[in-house]
Amino acid sequence: MSERMADKIRAKLEEMIVTGEFSDGERLDEIRLADSFDVSRTPLREAFQQLAASGLLVLEARRGAFVRQPAFEEMIEMFEVMAELEAMCGRLAARRVSEPVLDAIRETVLACEEAVNRGEADAYYAENEHFHHLIYDASGNHFLAEEARRLHRRLQPFRRMQLQLRGRMAQSLGEHRAILEALENGDEASAATVLRDHVAVQGGKFNDLMVSYRRSQLHQKAR
Amino acid sequence: MSERMADKIRAKLEEMIVTGEFSDGERLDEIRLADSFDVSRTPLREAFQQLAASGLLVLEARRGAFVRQPAFEEMIEMFEVMAELEAMCGRLAARRVSEPVLDAIRETVLACEEAVNRGEADAYYAENEHFHHLIYDASGNHFLAEEARRLHRRLQPFRRMQLQLRGRMAQSLGEHRAILEALENGDEASAATVLRDHVAVQGGKFNDLMVSYRRSQLHQKAR
DNA sequence: AACTTCATTCTTGTATACAAAATCATTGAC
DNA sequence: GTCAATGATTTTGTATACAAGAATGAAGTT
């Protein structure tokens, strides 16, 4: 048990919130939660602080911790910002990327290709992560890379959902190829545009997913 | 004392870090700091969590809290990202801003003008804040506005320094006018460009400030 | 003299205890 | 019957106590 308890709890709570275990606005009872994790309130409260910082909770003074399920509109907003951050990474990377890093990016594209051929969504997902992180770093702006990572992480579960959509993996792969090409050509404008669209399409796909999800919800209620 | 102790401590520590009271990499002793604030370690540790989330501290497990003074290069990086976020705000705002908000923006420009005429840097600073926050909100993307505010806040002390530079206030005012004009015309591209440059120039000015600061440091050491 | 090992000390991480504020329920007035 | 006020209870915020890991230093070996 080398890790800090508070960090494990944060990770677990993060997953629970993101997977919809709690509903929006729900108050988290410190004592009951602490008991369920078999810890005292102290590490739990530290986890609360961290979750509040990343926007998953809001702490109201002397009122408690309330889960903040980003509404549909906010998710779209987040994708919009993510698209712009990725575009910026792409623009800078097109100018600054080195040959070894370019090689690494090429490898991830190949690995993505294999994953698509085998229909392995998990493998694709992992390589996709790698691909994007490489570009963040290639921007040469470390602060930007960190911000991008932070937001990427927050949108992670929604990205993952999308790979379930028919044909999305192949489409995504094609976009990766276009991004790689722009980087190889040092074409800043193109790299920015293609990356922006690559992420924006995810926002759109997310929209589609939500619509069909809500329809099924309505269906259930209408029974 | 309606506020939470932890929040007051966070604010105070934030100021101390940002004003350079601590040096980069310095370890903050929980017990001594808690004593100096006349509180126990508990609220202090909560403050640490928050400061770590905003990047001012790094918490190493069982090692302690270390202050993270962004190096010169990182400050430039942050201005670079800030420029892009503001550009995005401007682009969206040009499309979405309403007449009442436009009026409010016009007022801040007038107030800035008066501040310049009177040579009141503090008043200018306050109105400048207002001006930028209005544009963040006018973007219509609430998440983006929050992100912009967060980064703006982090760069705050460095912005403030710049107003000391000769002629910077008048120059800044001119840029504000150009931004307002772009918004009035609904010119997305222009709003984005002018705002990007408006912030980028701050990065440049910051550069100038740091160079002269370091020169004076060297001078002192060379005595 | 330098390096390793072990014990001591110090510091962080967690649990528990206590204080203060907010919520809830009961009682009383209108 | 509804609303307000007040006391009880719950819950947060802070302090303190305790446990466990890390840093420090002394002693012993090579």
Side-chain angles (χ1 to χ4, degrees):
Chain A
M1 211 190 318
S2 74
E3 212 179 345
R4 289 177 48 179
M5 229 10 152
D7 292 334
K8 285 210 287 188
I9 292 170
R10 179 197 51 71
K12 181 62 184 164
L13 276 178
E14 190 172 80
E15 192 200 325
M16 289 173 80
I17 293 172
V18 140
T19 59
E21 199 124 342
F22 305 109
S23 47
D24 185 45
E26 185 174 344
R27 184 177 137 276
L28 298 187
D29 189 293
E30 287 186 4
I31 298 173
R32 288 208 326 210
L33 258 184
D35 283 351
S36 85
F37 283 117
D38 250 314
V39 295
S40 76
R41 286 170 51 219
T42 312
L44 190 82
R45 284 174 60 89
E46 288 204 0
F48 277 8
Q49 294 286 339
Q50 296 180 36
L51 291 168
S54 61
L56 272 59
L57 290 182
V58 293
L59 302 181
E60 292 186 30
R62 294 176 217 283
R63 298 277 324 283
F66 300 84
V67 322
R68 174 132 167 51
Q69 289 289 5
F72 165 69
E73 289 76 14
E74 193 179 358
M75 295 297 311
I76 298 294
E77 290 179 357
M78 288 166 76
F79 272 111
E80 207 174 11
V81 174
M82 185 81 238
E84 209 56 39
L85 287 183
E86 296 243 7
M88 186 178 175
C89 288
R91 182 155 33 75
L92 294 173
R95 197 163 35 177
R96 301 173 175 171
V97 67
S98 67
E99 197 54 44
V101 172
L102 214 43
D103 271 339
I105 296 176
R106 285 192 194 101
E107 271 182 46
T108 65
V109 173
L110 288 177
C112 280
E113 210 167 312
E114 288 181 23
V116 170
N117 290 337
R118 294 180 189 158
E120 292 173 1
D122 281 351
Y124 187 88
Y125 178 77
E127 285 304 327
N128 179 57
E129 294 286 301
H130 195 192
F131 176 83
H132 283 278
H133 285 347
L134 280 172
I135 293 177
Y136 299 162
D137 289 333
S139 75
N141 183 324
H142 192 258
F143 178 76
L144 170 62
E146 279 308 311
E147 291 293 299
R149 245 185 275 275
R150 207 172 52 88
L151 188 48
H152 182 103
R153 184 171 146 73
R154 211 163 147 200
L155 293 170
Q156 190 169 318
F158 304 96
R159 271 180 213 265
R160 195 154 204 162
M161 276 190 344
Q162 292 167 15
L163 293 181
Q164 308 305 329
L165 286 174
R166 212 187 334 273
R168 175 63 194 137
M169 258 166 60
Q171 183 189 359
S172 171
L173 173 61
E175 290 160 6
H176 282 199
R177 284 212 194 89
I179 293 163
L180 173 58
E181 194 186 329
L183 292 179
E184 285 173 329
N185 297 336
D187 186 340
E188 298 181 29
S190 169
T193 303
V194 180
L195 259 164
R196 184 184 290 114
D197 293 345
H198 177 55
V199 177
V201 97
Q202 291 171 12
K205 295 289 176 191
F206 171 72
N207 196 337
D208 299 344
L209 275 171
M210 286 308 284
V211 169
S212 61
Y213 172 73
R214 293 195 170 175
R215 282 221 184 98
S216 71
Q217 291 280 73
L218 285 174
H219 249 254
Q220 300 228 338
K221 281 190 184 170
R223 264 187 324 178
Chain B
M1 212 191 320
S2 73
E3 213 178 344
R4 289 177 49 182
M5 232 5 158
D7 292 335
K8 285 211 287 189
I9 293 170
R10 179 197 50 73
K12 182 61 183 165
L13 276 178
E14 190 172 80
E15 193 200 324
M16 290 171 79
I17 293 172
V18 140
T19 58
E21 200 123 343
F22 305 109
S23 47
D24 185 46
E26 185 174 343
R27 184 177 137 276
L28 298 186
D29 189 293
E30 287 185 3
I31 298 174
R32 289 206 326 210
L33 257 184
D35 284 351
S36 86
F37 282 117
D38 250 316
V39 295
S40 75
R41 285 170 52 218
T42 312
L44 189 82
R45 283 174 61 89
E46 288 204 0
F48 277 9
Q49 293 287 338
Q50 297 180 36
L51 292 167
S54 60
L56 271 60
L57 290 181
V58 292
L59 302 182
E60 291 185 29
R62 295 178 215 283
R63 298 277 325 283
F66 299 84
V67 323
R68 173 133 169 52
Q69 290 289 5
F72 166 68
E73 290 76 14
E74 192 180 358
M75 295 297 311
I76 298 293
E77 291 179 357
M78 288 166 76
F79 272 110
E80 207 174 10
V81 174
M82 185 83 237
E84 210 55 40
L85 286 183
E86 297 244 5
M88 185 179 176
C89 288
R91 182 156 33 78
L92 293 174
R95 195 162 36 175
R96 301 173 175 170
V97 67
S98 67
E99 198 53 44
V101 172
L102 214 43
D103 271 339
I105 296 176
R106 285 190 194 102
E107 271 181 47
T108 65
V109 173
L110 288 177
C112 279
E113 208 167 313
E114 288 181 24
V116 170
N117 290 336
R118 295 179 191 159
E120 292 174 1
D122 281 352
Y124 186 88
Y125 177 78
E127 286 303 326
N128 179 57
E129 294 286 302
H130 195 192
F131 176 83
H132 283 279
H133 285 345
L134 280 172
I135 293 177
Y136 299 162
D137 290 332
S139 76
N141 183 325
H142 192 259
F143 178 76
L144 170 62
E146 279 308 310
E147 291 294 298
R149 244 185 275 275
R150 206 172 53 88
L151 188 48
H152 182 104
R153 185 172 147 72
R154 215 167 143 197
L155 292 171
Q156 192 169 318
F158 304 97
R159 270 179 214 264
R160 195 155 205 161
M161 277 190 340
Q162 292 167 14
L163 294 181
Q164 310 303 329
L165 287 173
R166 211 187 337 273
R168 175 62 194 136
M169 257 165 61
Q171 183 189 359
S172 171
L173 173 60
E175 290 160 6
H176 281 200
R177 285 212 193 87
I179 294 162
L180 172 59
E181 195 187 327
L183 292 180
E184 284 173 329
N185 297 336
D187 186 339
E188 298 180 30
S190 169
T193 303
V194 181
L195 260 165
R196 185 183 290 112
D197 293 347
H198 177 55
V199 177
V201 96
Q202 291 172 12
K205 295 289 176 191
F206 171 73
N207 196 337
D208 298 345
L209 275 170
M210 285 310 284
V211 169
S212 61
Y213 171 74
R214 292 194 170 175
R215 281 219 186 99
S216 71
Q217 291 281 71
L218 285 174
H219 249 253
Q220 300 228 338
K221 282 190 184 170
R223 266 188 321 179

